[in-house]
Amino acid sequence: MIKRIGKWLVFKWVYPVCYKMASCNDINRKKIIFVENHQSELTDNFILYYQELKKREYEVHVHYLKISSSGWKDIIRRSIALIKDMGNASCIFLNESNSLFGAFKLRRETKLVQVWHACGAFKKWGYSVADKSFGDDRKSLEQYSGHYNYTLVPVSGKEVCWAYEEAFGLEPDSGIVRPLGVSRTDIYFRKEFLDASHEKLKQMIPFLNNRKVILYIPTFRGEIRTAVSPKELDIARLFDCFHEDYMVLVKQHPFIRESYVVEEAYSDFCMEIRDEMTTDELLAAADICITDYSSVVFDFSLLEKPILFFAYDLERYYDERGFYYPYETFVPGPVVKNNCELIECISKIKEFDYNKIRDFKERYMSGCDGHATKRILEQVFDGEF
């Protein structure tokens, strides 16, 4: 009860008063703000925007709220600093939902652009999971939702616009959600990036030799603060079958704090990659991707390489969260429920259906063509809203 009252006071009095005072100043047309909810450094969904805006000589500020790793006092302190700074900003970029923006209505001269951290629309979020075990209750969403402040939400393709409108509680066909593409996917169309990623991997793992790379990149399980990684992948069995031809690299979700444990006997076959290479670099360098419910399926489809779906807990995931499309017919690769099926699929990888992944790319990633960053920034600063 005390916590609920405290949140109400902060969101209904403290934040609005701070913003009203900060927005009294004249707008600074060259001032841009990026807001990172959880990370302590600029993430890939912001980097190309940041570089381009700095090149255009905009005044760019970045705020790291560190919500998932901080107490309420620190979160409120950083949030107030953000509010004071953005009072006269011309544009604010978000890459996740942030209820802070539900505490007040932004001034008319300030644009709020939600460049969501994932491509496509896979597992449900926001209003789509209201009152489910994973999501917030609908009353809280409506009371503290900042989605109504959005000026623009660029997404990967026309097919997924409806899902973002539903998740954010926006009116259908409002024109806020637009299939302009996703900025960070531009790098997949740059040969120098693809070549550099392969070379970086070879330098980092000199004992890779001529083996191909299987990238295992599952999503997290549980809540953000207590997120855990799945442990069902049987490294010992994969070693017995493929250690001469493949190496397995594991990239865990950013919310996972614990290291992925690999027995010493398999250290030349399987290793976790954390800060040594980005997810984009690993996707570019991998030959095969194994995931489950991660949105990396959309990124990886741009590279038109084999992808397998290790969905051992699919039924439970349907109950807890659900998907925007029927999982089994939606994903562009084989769905396996156990290690035996996974091993069989890897053994038959030459039979992979590439037409399926090309069709998937054309349907869900139509706005991602290597020019998304430029197109989105033109819409933000030159378009009509």
Side-chain angles (χ1 to χ4, degrees), residues 49-66:
Y49 293 117
Y50 181 89
Q51 292 172 346
E52 183 62 29
L53 289 169
K54 292 292 283 187
K55 191 186 303 181
R56 299 184 187 186
E57 299 184 341
Y58 278 89
E59 178 188 334
V60 184
H61 299 186
V62 185
H63 286 260
Y64 302 100
L65 301 183
K66 302 179 184 178

Side-chain angles (χ1 to χ4, degrees), residues 103-165:
F104 44 79
K105 184 171 178 58
L106 283 174
R107 62 191 297 178
R108 182 175 50 82
E109 302 96 331
T110 299
K111 296 177 180 178
L112 182 62
V113 182
Q114 172 62 264
V115 291
W116 192 246
H117 58 275
C119 292
F122 199 171
K123 50 188 181 288
K124 292 184 176 182
W125 79 94
Y127 280 88
S128 299
V129 290
D131 298 325
K132 285 195 170 186
S133 60
F134 177 84
D136 294 322
D137 63 274
R138 185 171 293 275
K139 183 178 179 181
S140 294
L141 283 173
E142 292 173 349
Q143 187 173 10
Y144 300 112
S145 173
H147 303 316
Y148 67 86
N149 269 314
Y150 294 156
T151 307
L152 176 67
V153 180
V155 298
S156 62
K158 186 176 180 180
E159 170 64 33
V160 302
C161 287
W162 71 271
Y164 283 80
E165 290 169 345

